[in-house]
Amino acid sequence: MSEMVLPGQTPTGAGDTAVVRARQKEDVVVGNEIVRHRLASRVIHWSVAILFFISLFSGLPIWTPLFGWMATFFGGLSVCRWLHPWAGIGFSIAALVMFAHWFSDMHLEAGDREWLTPRGIFRYFEYRGEDSQVGKYNGGQKLLFWAASIGALGLLLSGLVIWFPQQFGQWLRELSYIVHDVTFILFFAMIIGHIYLGTAAEPGTFGSMMRGTVTKSWARLHHPRWFREVTGEKQKR
């Protein structure tokens, strides 16, 4: 549904109204902006991100002396050894909430299959116009969601074994170290790609996770089907 901008209302005023609406509702048009992520969605997103980086930076000094200098940010290596597993638990809980929150939007559709091919993966890291049938989330974003969910589960399970080694056999402990190391490295690389795509590659994306809104032109370019669904605009032939 769309809201009319009152006579005399400035674009800034419309933007402020959109930010207020973004606290409770999304997929709503306010002036020249569309509410993409309500406040709850943004809190969940940033909780996962912040807890991941706390887990990462507190875990690196434990992982190798090469990053021992990072321990000073947390008060020493002993603090890192205490903080890291608890931050990991917090990250896992936040990731579970994220999974439940976005699960219904992340089903892969027929048009998303391209993202499972090498061509689709390379396209994800390039700036290109989107397919006219791309909804609120494209195939790459959906795959990122599933990869992050599986990665969080892998980190949790392997981390629990490492945290309580006496409760498990030697082979499982050794396997858990490998799984934990490989998973956090891949997860970190994935996050770097996510940051790049949300900033330099697609300007305006980062703002949607800060203010909660995007411009109509951004939505029309990157998620045209979602734009049509929200605005009621018909597809041009």
Side-chain angles (χ1 to χ4, degrees):
M1 58 181 294
S2 176
E3 295 187 358
M4 296 295 293
V5 179
L6 297 176
Q9 187 177 41
T10 64
T12 300
D16 292 341
T17 302
V19 172
V20 173
R21 291 299 301 273
R23 295 173 183 169
Q24 300 294 336
K25 297 183 178 181
E26 56 188 42
D27 302 334
V28 176
V29 179
V30 183
N32 192 45
E33 293 186 272
I34 301 176
V35 180
R36 182 168 173 82
H37 298 296
R38 64 182 185 271
L39 181 59
S41 301
R42 287 174 280 146
V43 169
I44 293 170
H45 173 271
W46 288 115
S47 295
V48 171
I50 292 171
L51 287 167
F52 170 76
F53 280 108
I54 292 175
S55 301
L56 175 68
F57 294 135
S58 62
L60 285 175
I62 304 172
W63 186 49
T64 172
L66 182 64
F67 297 106
W69 56 272
M70 289 186 178
T72 59
F73 296 135
F74 301 98
L77 187 59
S78 60
V79 177
C80 288
R81 292 186 183 280
W82 171 85
L83 175 63
H84 178 71
W86 286 110
I89 293 296
F91 165 73
S92 300
I93 294 173
L96 177 61
V97 174
M98 178 189 73
F99 181 83
H101 185 74
W102 271 293
F103 175 77
S104 61
D105 292 323
M106 296 300 170
H107 298 294
L108 291 172
E109 302 174 359
D112 297 326
R113 293 175 183 173
E114 178 188 358
W115 297 91
L116 296 171
T117 66
R119 177 175 177 269
I121 295 174
F122 282 117
R123 182 182 179 186
Y124 191 54
F125 284 90
E126 297 177 358
Y127 180 81
R128 296 187 183 183
E130 297 283 4
D131 186 285
S132 63
Q133 294 306 311
V134 173
K136 187 171 185 178
Y137 301 103
N138 61 37
Q141 291 168 321
K142 293 176 182 179
L143 290 176
L144 178 69
F145 168 83
W146 287 106
S149 299
I150 295 172
L153 180 61
L155 289 171
L156 173 63
L157 296 179
S158 60
L160 287 174
V161 175
I162 297 171
W163 196 3
F164 302 103
Q166 301 302 323
Q167 307 299 320
F168 304 94
Q170 181 178 351
W171 71 271
L172 187 56
R173 294 198 302 267
E174 294 176 352
L175 177 62
S176 294
Y177 277 109
I178 296 174
V179 170
H180 207 72
D181 291 352
V182 172
T183 304
F184 96 75
I185 292 172
L186 293 177
F187 206 110
F188 180 65
M190 180 176 65
I191 293 298
I192 294 301
H194 180 57
I195 293 173
Y196 166 72
L197 289 166
T199 54
E202 296 183 359
T205 305
F206 181 76
S208 70
M209 272 299 171
M210 294 299 294
R211 289 168 50 86
T213 64
V214 295
T215 63
K216 286 183 176 179
S217 59
W218 183 95
R220 184 185 289 110
L221 173 63
H222 297 294
H223 301 270
R225 193 184 77 195
W226 175 65
F227 171 80
R228 296 193 300 271
E229 291 170 350
V230 172
T231 63
E233 181 177 293
K234 295 184 179 180
Q235 182 176 357
K236 296 180 180 180
R237 298 181 178 181

